[in-house]
Amino acid sequence: MKKDTREVLWSAQKKAEQSLRKMTSTPFVRVLRLEDPPNKFSPPAFAVYDGKTDPVAHISAYTHKMTLWAGRDGLMCKMFPSSLGTTAMKCFHQLPENSVSSWREFAWIFVARFIANSRDPATLDTLFALHLRRGESLRAYAARYSDTYTDMEDCDERTVVATFRLGLPRDYKLRESLTMAPPKSMAALEDKIKQYVKLEEDKQGDRQFASQEGIKKESKKFKKKNGKEKDSKKDPKAPSYEVVKTIFKDPIFRILPQIADKPYFRRPNKMSGDPSTRNQSKWCSYHRDKGHRTEDCREFKQHLEELVQQGHLKEFIEKEKITAEKKAEPQSKEQGEPSHYVVNFIDAMVPDVQLGDV
């Protein structure tokens, strides 16, 4: 029995050593392995590749981060595993030793391994099909449009400007502006979009402020009508409970995990702009990215408001606000005024006369 136990332990130890040796192996030839990094070299922060997205896009992003050292194959090869997730790292360690002799060769091997995840270039038909969705912000639409345009090959800028305009509603102010003075380039279009995005978000902020002030006034009326002040816990909810018009029982970041698997829930497009310029200490669970907090996410608030208008999320809505709004509604004329027909009937009581007597 002791002999069998020793054999099992020895076999397990041998497998562990083989696995460790395999996980620490490298496919690079000797000349690449021996290349030292330059003095004061500070590795950039790489996006981690999970093995499920476009490998060409990952290579492009990695090369951009390593632009200063693009001519040093050894450094380019040795730093690349730092950008790989668990799945991709396993594939890396499966490569035979001394099978990679240059960065170009290594990049081709990587792309070939995950080529099934590559995205086909967008076509002009895809661009023409884009339009501003109901309830979608101009910023979100512009980000979707920019992503599609980036995926296209050899597309004329004038065509891009024209299709962006056609994707806007006919009564949209930006569409009128683009019709009257069409931009001549993508740069000019982006400048115009930024102006209207700023205007739209400023108006949205005013609406939210007015809505919050209206809620406070209705709350005060409700307190006076009941003849007593409510406890401070019953006061209007903080901004983390409020979206555009609707106020929820719980902070909106707590609602997200409860509706994320619902068929009506829609995930957003990725955040626009350069990720390196965002606030890395704030996390948005809706975008699944860093840059701002979930409770401050305009797209998430807009989506919640859209779902409420569609009849969803009733179990999350603050009922007291709804009650206060209903009580504040003015009574209709039918309820608040007496019937004129009854009055006219009484006033019309005159003696009978014949037509001939008139």
Side-chain angles (χ1 to χ4, degrees), residues 42-57:
S42 180
F46 302 118
V48 177
Y49 184 75
D50 58 3
K52 299 178 181 179
T53 54
D54 188 358
V56 177

Side-chain angles (χ1 to χ4, degrees), residues 19 34 53 63 76 112 140 143 178 185 204 212 244 248 262 271 328:
S19 178
L34 294 179
T53 54
T63 306
M76 293 289 289
L178 295 176
S185 65
Q204 184 178 0
Q212 190 171 2
V244 180
F248 292 96
K262 302 295 183 182
M271 290 186 188

Side-chain angles (χ1 to χ4, degrees), residues 278-320:
R278 301 180 197 143
N279 190 332
Q280 300 299 308
S281 64
K282 295 182 179 180
W283 173 261
C284 177
S285 299
Y286 184 54
H287 283 90
R288 296 175 179 173
D289 202 351
K290 295 179 180 179
H292 57 251
R293 300 185 304 169
T294 308
E295 54 265 41
D296 298 329
C297 180
R298 292 191 182 95
E299 289 189 53
F300 182 40
K301 290 181 179 181
Q302 190 65 44
H303 185 41
L304 289 177
E305 189 67 47
E306 182 181 343
L307 293 177
V308 171
Q309 293 175 3
Q310 293 172 0
H312 304 298
L313 312 183
K314 293 181 180 179
E315 67 273 24
F316 301 106
I317 298 176
E318 179 61 71
K319 294 182 180 179
E320 290 185 3

Side-chain angles (χ1 to χ4, degrees), residues 124 127-128 130 141 145 158-167:
L124 194 58
L127 210 58
F128 272 102
L130 292 177
Y141 170 59
Y145 196 91
R158 291 186 179 181
T159 303
V160 176
V161 173
T163 52
F164 182 87
R165 179 181 63 83
L166 294 175

Side-chain angles (χ1 to χ4, degrees), residues 23-76:
M23 294 303 291
T24 56
S25 65
T26 173
F28 307 131
V29 296
R30 178 181 173 81
V31 66
L32 296 179
R33 296 198 306 267
L34 294 179
E35 184 172 337
D36 295 326
N39 293 331
K40 298 182 180 180
F41 171 71
S42 180
F46 302 118
V48 177
Y49 184 75
D50 58 3
K52 299 178 181 179
T53 54
D54 188 358
V56 177
H58 182 72
I59 288 287
S60 177
Y62 174 80
T63 306
H64 178 73
K65 291 278 188 179
M66 294 287 289
T67 301
L68 296 177
W69 308 279
R72 307 188 64 158
D73 277 22
L75 189 62
M76 293 289 289

Side-chain angles (χ1 to χ4, degrees), residues 6 45 86 139 144 166 169 175 187 213 217 298 333 340:
R6 285 196 299 270
T86 304
R139 180 185 292 276
R144 283 197 300 115
L166 294 175
R175 175 163 178 162
E213 289 298 310
K217 290 180 181 179
R298 292 191 182 95
K333 290 185 178 181
H340 291 289

